[in-house]
Amino acid sequence: MNRLRLLAATLAAALLLAACGGQGSEEPEAFPSEQIRLIVPYTAGGPTDIAARSLGRFMEGSLGQTVVVENLPGASGSTAYQELLSADPDGYTISMTALPTAVLNYLTNDVGYTREDFAPVGVITQVPSAIVVPAASPYADLESLFAAARTDPTLVSVGTPGATNTHAAETRRITQVHGVPLTVVPFNGNQEVLGALLGGNVVAGFVNVSQDMLPAIESGQLRVLAVGTENRLPYLDGPTFVEQGYAEITQSTTTFGVIAPAGTPQPVIARLEEAMRAASADPETRQGLDERYVPEQFLGAADLAALFTETEETFKGVASG
């Protein structure tokens, strides 16, 4: 009888160990196992939204899950970022981001977050910017516009597609660094700036040279006075600030990327980054994003993190008003 009890006890212990061992050796659930929510901090139709929808289509095939693109505009992006940071850091809620706007927002406003609250994933497009005027403007070049501003500090109003974005900040930097008095007039996006320019409500605009603005430039409705890149762009007929003597004004390119909440597991970030890298090399996706805006070399999580830091260093002394 004792031998039977001992055998039963031994068998029970072996089954318990097997059960415990089986549970402990299970692999974590593979990411992703459910749909992903991709937040866009701006309205539909703009460059951030265009990038998000092209990226989302590719990621659905790459990750094998539905990617729901949700526009959540408001407060220059902070509404979307606050929604992002209220989600679990599990990779199932991610957001588009636009630099330098995202950084300028927390540098100049008490929005309840900083870059440390974000986990960068990667960059999908980079869109340059330019100062433009209507075709009927009396200002044929940048120097004549700036000369008019120096003559009358109240004359030159510059429309920007936001109050705390790269365009507003660079306009203020022109005033701070070069003593050119320019008045920032913020709008909600490029299209509102375009309407104000064509309606004569602002003298100039500092805008993204994105898919939604290029037709007005290419048709001759707008004249480009200066481009905010270090070198001239092959698809835009306009000189740079650099070649016109404003070497510091090179930070107006908008970088569009993807972020997750801080604390998102590194394997999840790596999986999302891998999908973005593949998207940036996919011909169909590149066409949807517009080849002109896709970086030649993919910029991943570490690169986007470095851009956050660099942007802070560039704009931390720029006033918000």
Side-chain angles (χ1 to χ4, degrees):
M1 187 67 109
N2 286 339
R3 291 177 60 187
L4 289 173
R5 286 176 180 162
L6 179 60
L7 181 59
T10 302
L11 180 59
L15 290 171
L16 181 61
L17 283 172
C20 292
Q23 289 175 0
S25 63
E26 283 182 1
E27 290 292 326
E29 191 175 61
F31 175 86
S33 59
E34 58 188 77
Q35 75 176 23
I36 294 171
R37 179 188 183 200
L38 176 56
I39 300 172
V40 178
Y42 306 103
T43 55
T48 320
D49 181 69
I50 291 170
R53 293 181 188 280
S54 294
L55 175 62
R57 281 192 292 271
F58 180 87
M59 291 178 75
E60 284 192 336
S62 175
L63 298 175
Q65 293 291 339
T66 301
V67 176
V68 179
V69 177
E70 178 182 344
N71 296 88
L72 198 61
S76 293
S78 65
T79 300
Y81 301 140
Q82 288 163 352
E83 176 71 11
L84 171 72
L85 297 177
S86 71
D88 291 335
D90 54 13
Y92 290 103
T93 300
I94 56 180
S95 176
M96 296 295 295
T97 188
L99 298 181
T101 304
V103 172
L104 285 161
N105 220 4
Y106 65 72
L107 287 180
T108 57
N109 298 286
D110 182 11
V111 292
Y113 58 79
T114 70
R115 63 179 169 84
E116 295 180 354
D117 294 296
F118 301 135
V121 177
V123 171
I124 193 63
T125 55
Q126 291 186 303
V127 179
S129 300
I131 282 192
V132 297
V133 294
S137 170
Y139 307 112
D141 52 41
L142 189 67
E143 274 312 310
S144 63
L145 179 71
F146 284 2
R150 291 188 179 103
T151 300
D152 181 354
T154 67
L155 179 64
V156 179
S157 54
V158 180
T160 62
T164 56
N165 60 9
T166 178
H167 314 90
E170 282 291 72
T171 303
R172 295 185 183 104
R173 280 220 304 159
I174 291 169
T175 297
Q176 291 181 359
V177 175
H178 295 285
V180 181
L182 303 172
T183 302
V184 173
V185 181
F187 293 91
N188 293 315
N190 270 346
Q191 290 304 301
E192 285 193 11
V193 179
L194 177 60
L197 283 166
L198 298 181
N201 298 315
V202 291
V203 173
F206 205 152
V207 295
N208 286 311
V209 187
S210 47
Q211 291 162 311
D212 58 338
M213 188 60 74
L214 276 176
I217 295 172
E218 293 171 344
S219 68
Q221 287 182 292
L222 298 178
R223 179 188 310 134
V224 175
L225 301 188
V227 180
T229 53
E230 292 189 10
N231 301 304
R232 285 200 180 206
L233 299 173
Y235 56 88
L236 202 64
D237 182 18
T240 66
F241 283 101
V242 173
E243 66 187 271
Q244 298 181 84
Y246 301 90
E248 300 88 352
I249 311 303
T250 59
Q251 298 295 321
S252 63
T253 293
T254 302
T255 295
F256 296 98
V258 173
I259 53 176
T264 301
Q266 184 53 40
V268 172
I269 295 293
R271 183 73 181 93
L272 292 168
E273 181 185 27
E274 176 189 342
M276 289 189 69
R277 183 188 301 275
S280 72
D282 176 64
E284 184 177 345
T285 304
R286 289 177 67 92
Q287 184 177 4
L289 294 166
D290 195 320
E291 290 272 359
R292 292 173 287 197
Y293 306 128
V294 180
E296 291 184 12
Q297 299 293 325
F298 175 69
L299 304 174
D303 300 297
L304 183 54
L307 282 170
F308 265 94
T309 302
E310 179 186 328
T311 302
E312 281 190 6
E313 291 301 312
T314 300
F315 291 113
K316 63 184 178 182
V318 176
S320 62

